[in-house]
Amino acid sequence: PTVNFNRVHGLILGGGAEATTLFAGGGRLYGGAFYGIASRSGNFQLGAEKRFFNRHQFTAGAQIHKLTDTNDFSLLSKDEDLLASFLLGNAFEDYFERKGYESWLKQQLTPSTAVKIRYADDKYSSLFIKNDWSLFNPSMLKRGNPRIDDGRIRSVTASFEFDSRNIKRFDTRNFYTYPVPAGETQNGWQGYFSMEYAGRGLEGDFDFTLYKFYITRYNRLSTRQTFDFRLTGALSDAFLPAQRLSYLGGIGTLRGYEFKQFMGDNMLL
């Protein structure tokens, strides 16, 4: 069972399950269903993934879904965001609905590098605040959930991922596992380069090509000193729908500025 909370659904109840096998390289089946009490809206997810080969693993997967999604995974962990929202009423994640299906192929090149190609066909919809409550600030006016550009996005995304950190840490949302910073990491690289091609011959309501990259280097100089740096950016060849824009300002990006004070089709940090 799962209990969660955010400002677009209020209290969220549900659950999910995952079954894995090691037979013939391994694989998994997973699924879940969730219901928002304040929004009176439900989500679901059902997927399968098959792995081949033990060395240089190759993975094929697909899923169907109706999800409350966000682009703000890197700002806070899911537990930190839950506590900030439930206890203090601080909203650091913006949400939208994504309904459709996707499939992907992933090839592990080395223990620390992989390439992935993903096809997605999703209908995007805006979500609105349904619950303004928090435990310690129940009467405080909360930050709104911005509108997106509703419509259908059909896209193919190709990416190169790398993670050579000596100590790695991961988080999982919607059965998707992704790397997150680890304070105990002493050295290594982590990041990705990606290109998303949307619309045009694939049809859909939006046409764009979006290039993104994220590079982090960890350097432990001594037991009390570290020198880490991060470089991230995005470049588009067209005007992007709101759910693909880049944001800067506040926690996780530019401290000293208002939260998400700057936004645009292109970004460098």
Side-chain angles (χ1 to χ4, degrees):
T2 299
V3 178
N4 207 336
F5 179 88
N6 62 44
R7 67 192 189 281
V8 298
H9 289 302
L11 182 65
I12 302 169
L13 302 177
E18 178 177 323
T20 61
T21 176
L22 299 178
F23 177 75
R28 63 173 181 151
L29 295 171
Y30 59 88
F34 309 91
Y35 184 78
I37 301 300
S39 64
R40 298 182 180 180
S41 175
N43 288 334
F44 72 90
Q45 188 175 8
L46 182 64
E49 197 172 57
K50 181 71 178 78
R51 295 187 291 271
F52 303 88
F53 317 121
N54 292 323
R55 186 179 181 186
H56 304 301
Q57 193 173 84
F58 177 76
T59 305
Q63 72 170 32
I64 58 174
H65 51 252
K66 176 178 176 282
L67 298 173
T68 296
D69 211 348
T70 179
N71 293 324
D72 300 324
F73 285 177
S74 62
L75 298 181
L76 294 173
S77 73
K78 61 181 180 181
D79 294 331
E80 290 171 333
D81 183 74
L82 171 62
L83 291 176
S85 176
F86 180 79
L87 297 179
L88 304 176
N90 293 325
F92 294 110
E93 291 187 348
D94 296 325
Y95 303 99
F96 50 83
E97 183 180 278
R98 183 165 68 92
K99 181 179 180 180
Y101 66 92
E102 61 186 87
S103 59
W104 60 90
L105 302 172
K106 183 176 181 179
Q107 176 65 59
Q108 198 73 32
L109 302 177
T110 70
S112 60
T113 61
V115 292
K116 182 177 181 180
I117 186 165
R118 169 181 173 266
Y119 173 77
D121 184 349
D122 284 306
K123 181 179 179 182
Y124 288 77
S125 303
S126 298
L127 294 173
F128 305 96
I129 290 182
K130 297 296 183 179
N131 190 307
D132 229 6
W133 179 88
S134 62
L135 183 62
F136 296 133
N137 293 304
S139 60
M140 182 182 78
L141 185 64
K142 311 303 189 297
R143 189 174 69 88
N145 190 63
R147 292 185 63 97
I148 64 167
D149 293 314
D150 295 356
R152 188 176 187 178
I153 296 181
R154 285 180 168 177
S155 68
V156 173
T157 303
S159 60
F160 172 73
E161 306 167 357
F162 54 94
D163 190 349
S164 64
R165 296 175 296 171
N166 68 316
I167 298 177
K168 301 177 182 180
R169 182 179 163 197
F170 300 90
D171 205 347
T172 301
R173 295 196 194 194
N174 298 327
F175 297 99
Y176 169 67
T177 300
Y178 55 96
V180 295
E184 59 271 27
T185 300
Q186 297 177 342
N187 58 71
W189 298 86
Q190 187 271 313
Y192 66 85
F193 298 90
S194 70
M195 181 191 73
E196 181 181 15
Y197 178 88
R200 302 183 177 99
L202 300 175
E203 300 183 346
D205 297 323
F206 306 98
D207 301 329
F208 61 86
T209 302
L210 177 60
Y211 304 88
K212 300 180 72 174
F213 66 88
Y214 179 94
I215 304 170
T216 303
R217 172 65 191 181
Y218 296 88
N219 302 278
R220 178 64 60 88
L221 304 179
S222 69
T223 56
R224 296 186 178 183
Q225 294 177 317
T226 60
F227 178 70
D228 304 336
F229 66 84
R230 177 183 62 170
L231 182 65
T232 183
L235 177 65
S236 173
D237 68 347
F239 293 113
L240 295 173
Q243 55 269 37
R244 289 295 191 273
L245 293 176
S246 296
Y247 294 87
L248 292 175
I251 185 172
T253 56
L254 289 176
R255 297 184 183 274
Y257 291 88
E258 293 295 324
F259 184 64
K260 293 188 175 182
Q261 182 174 340
F262 310 103
M263 65 179 180
D265 303 306
N266 305 300
M267 179 269 288
L268 180 64
L269 173 64

